[in-house]
Amino acid sequence: QVQLVESGGGLVQDGGSLRLSCAASGRTFSVSVMGWFRQAPGKEREFVAATSWSGGGTQYADSVKGRIAISRDNAKTMVYLQMNSLKPEDTAVYYCAADLGKYYRGSLDFPGLYAYWGQGTQVTVSS
């Protein structure tokens, strides 16, 4: 079991920046991938970014490339999402997700890959 807690969300103006954090606890030594997803009102949950310690590397959604960067600590206890040049369409609840004990050969962008989820943190970008 892994527990995930997100923090760092808030209200920011168009063009502003935020840094989200995700703290993992429990069987963190077994974590093989951590990622960020987001869900806007009335829309499906969508992939933002992910980083794997076991194949797959680091991946980003096309919509955020060049504006958002995912980083992590080597202890597998923290993952961060630095978001710059934010736009109103980035407004959503952002969720941290993790999976354990697997090797990945392909895409990390589908929610079904992840067994553990945080409660989410709200990001609102005002125009």
Side-chain angles (χ1 to χ4, degrees):
Q1 290 272 350
V2 169
Q3 295 77 43
L4 304 172
V5 178
E6 305 95 336
S7 61
L11 174 64
V12 64
Q13 290 188 334
D14 191 354
S17 297
L18 278 176
R19 188 190 194 213
L20 306 184
S21 299
C22 175
S25 60
R27 292 182 56 195
T28 57
F29 57 90
S30 295
V31 167
S32 47
V33 63
M34 293 184 75
W36 289 94
F37 289 75
R38 66 187 182 186
Q39 189 166 18
K43 295 188 178 181
E44 292 188 354
R45 192 166 296 190
E46 67 170 348
F47 172 73
V48 177
T51 183
S52 172
W53 285 264
S54 182
T58 297
Q59 300 180 12
Y60 294 94
D62 288 342
S63 60
V64 304
K65 281 181 181 177
R67 301 190 296 118
I68 288 180
I70 190 169
S71 60
R72 69 194 194 192
D73 71 340
N74 289 332
K76 305 181 182 179
T77 59
M78 295 295 298
V79 67
Y80 306 95
L81 195 69
Q82 178 65 45
M83 305 190 294
N84 301 319
S85 302
L86 283 164
K87 307 173 183 179
E89 51 263 43
D90 294 316
T91 294
V93 177
Y94 283 70
Y95 297 92
C96 178
D99 196 25
L100 309 181
K102 296 184 180 69
Y103 181 83
Y104 311 97
R105 290 185 172 84
S107 176
L108 303 175
D109 68 357
F110 54 101
L113 182 67
Y114 301 82
Y116 302 95
W117 292 83
Q119 293 299 307
T121 185
Q122 175 71 46
V123 171
T124 303
V125 184
S126 63
S127 57

